[in-house]
Amino acid sequence: MAEEIENIILEHLKRFQVGQDRIERKLEEVVTRLGALEVSVASVRRDIAHNEENTAAMSVRMDRLNERIDRIERRLELS
């Protein structure tokens, strides 16, 4: 009887170990995928920052063009 109980306990422990192994493999996969997502988010942030830089540069150029047009209009007495 004690041997049967021991065998049952060992079988349950083996099943727990298999489940634990599966959980550990899945956790490793999740950690790897999370790392890849973090890299992707950093890349997106860099792209956004680059676009904002370009937008600011274009805004400065537009302001300069507007100033030049205003000067030309004043010289030609169009405004």
Side-chain angles (χ1 to χ4, degrees):
M1 176 81 174
E3 191 174 314
E4 284 180 34
I5 292 174
E6 213 174 283
N7 287 338
I8 291 173
I9 291 173
L10 284 174
E11 283 301 314
H12 282 294
L13 288 175
K14 287 178 186 177
R15 287 182 188 163
F16 287 141
Q17 184 62 46
V18 168
Q20 181 71 28
D21 291 344
R22 190 173 56 242
I23 289 169
E24 288 175 2
R25 281 193 308 274
K26 274 296 200 185
L27 180 59
E28 288 174 9
E29 178 186 338
V30 167
V31 168
T32 300
R33 293 176 72 184
L34 178 59
L37 282 172
E38 289 173 336
V39 169
S40 295
V41 167
S43 176
V44 168
R45 286 182 177 167
R46 274 193 307 275
D47 290 347
I48 289 171
H50 183 69
N51 288 340
E52 288 175 353
E53 178 186 349
N54 285 341
T55 299
M58 289 177 65
S59 182
V60 168
R61 291 177 70 188
M62 294 279 290
D63 289 342
R64 288 182 187 156
L65 285 172
N66 281 336
E67 289 171 5
R68 289 178 67 191
I69 290 170
D70 287 343
R71 274 198 321 264
I72 291 168
E73 286 178 342
R74 278 195 308 271
R75 284 183 186 163
L76 296 176
E77 297 177 359
L78 296 175
S79 59

